[in-house]
Short mmCIF file of all heavy atoms in Angstrom, two decimals:
data_model
loop_
_atom_site.label_atom_id
_atom_site.label_comp_id
_atom_site.label_asym_id
_atom_site.label_seq_id
_atom_site.Cartn_x
_atom_site.Cartn_y
_atom_site.Cartn_z
N ARG A 1142 -0.77 25.95 -21.62
CA ARG A 1142 0.13 26.52 -20.62
C ARG A 1142 0.05 25.76 -19.31
O ARG A 1142 -1.02 25.39 -18.84
CB ARG A 1142 -0.25 27.99 -20.40
CG ARG A 1142 0.63 28.76 -19.46
CD ARG A 1142 0.14 30.19 -19.35
NE ARG A 1142 -1.25 30.23 -18.92
CZ ARG A 1142 -1.63 30.17 -17.65
NH1 ARG A 1142 -0.73 30.09 -16.69
NH2 ARG A 1142 -2.91 30.21 -17.33
N GLN A 1143 1.22 25.52 -18.71
CA GLN A 1143 1.35 24.91 -17.39
C GLN A 1143 0.68 23.54 -17.29
O GLN A 1143 0.19 23.14 -16.24
CB GLN A 1143 0.79 25.83 -16.31
CG GLN A 1143 1.51 27.17 -16.20
CD GLN A 1143 0.91 28.07 -15.14
OE1 GLN A 1143 -0.12 27.77 -14.55
NE2 GLN A 1143 1.55 29.20 -14.92
N LEU A 1144 0.66 22.83 -18.40
CA LEU A 1144 -0.03 21.54 -18.40
C LEU A 1144 0.74 20.50 -17.58
O LEU A 1144 0.13 19.62 -16.96
CB LEU A 1144 -0.20 21.05 -19.85
CG LEU A 1144 -1.12 19.86 -20.05
CD1 LEU A 1144 -2.51 20.14 -19.51
CD2 LEU A 1144 -1.21 19.50 -21.54
N GLY A 1145 2.07 20.58 -17.58
CA GLY A 1145 2.85 19.64 -16.80
C GLY A 1145 2.57 19.75 -15.31
O GLY A 1145 2.39 18.74 -14.62
N GLY A 1146 2.55 20.98 -14.80
CA GLY A 1146 2.23 21.17 -13.40
C GLY A 1146 0.83 20.72 -13.06
O GLY A 1146 0.58 20.13 -11.99
N PHE A 1147 -0.11 20.96 -13.99
CA PHE A 1147 -1.48 20.52 -13.75
C PHE A 1147 -1.55 19.00 -13.64
O PHE A 1147 -2.19 18.45 -12.73
CB PHE A 1147 -2.37 21.02 -14.90
CG PHE A 1147 -3.77 20.46 -14.87
CD1 PHE A 1147 -4.74 21.05 -14.07
CD2 PHE A 1147 -4.11 19.35 -15.62
CE1 PHE A 1147 -6.03 20.53 -14.04
CE2 PHE A 1147 -5.40 18.82 -15.59
CZ PHE A 1147 -6.35 19.42 -14.80
N GLY A 1148 -0.90 18.30 -14.59
CA GLY A 1148 -0.92 16.84 -14.55
C GLY A 1148 -0.28 16.29 -13.29
O GLY A 1148 -0.78 15.34 -12.69
N GLY A 1149 0.85 16.88 -12.89
CA GLY A 1149 1.49 16.42 -11.67
C GLY A 1149 0.62 16.63 -10.44
O GLY A 1149 0.53 15.76 -9.57
N ASN A 1150 -0.03 17.78 -10.36
CA ASN A 1150 -0.90 18.05 -9.21
C ASN A 1150 -2.10 17.10 -9.18
O ASN A 1150 -2.51 16.64 -8.12
CB ASN A 1150 -1.39 19.49 -9.26
CG ASN A 1150 -0.30 20.49 -8.96
OD1 ASN A 1150 0.67 20.17 -8.28
ND2 ASN A 1150 -0.41 21.69 -9.49
N LEU A 1151 -2.67 16.82 -10.36
CA LEU A 1151 -3.83 15.93 -10.41
C LEU A 1151 -3.45 14.51 -9.99
O LEU A 1151 -4.18 13.85 -9.24
CB LEU A 1151 -4.42 15.94 -11.82
CG LEU A 1151 -5.77 15.22 -11.99
CD1 LEU A 1151 -6.83 15.84 -11.08
CD2 LEU A 1151 -6.24 15.30 -13.44
N LEU A 1152 -2.30 14.03 -10.47
CA LEU A 1152 -1.86 12.70 -10.07
C LEU A 1152 -1.48 12.66 -8.59
O LEU A 1152 -1.78 11.69 -7.89
CB LEU A 1152 -0.68 12.27 -10.94
CG LEU A 1152 -0.10 10.88 -10.63
CD1 LEU A 1152 -1.17 9.81 -10.79
CD2 LEU A 1152 1.09 10.58 -11.53
N ALA A 1153 -0.83 13.71 -8.11
CA ALA A 1153 -0.49 13.77 -6.68
C ALA A 1153 -1.76 13.79 -5.84
O ALA A 1153 -1.80 13.18 -4.75
CB ALA A 1153 0.36 15.00 -6.39
#
Side-chain angles (χ1 to χ4, degrees):
R1142 183 180 56 85
Q1143 298 179 353
L1144 191 57
F1147 172 84
N1150 289 334
L1151 189 59
L1152 180 58

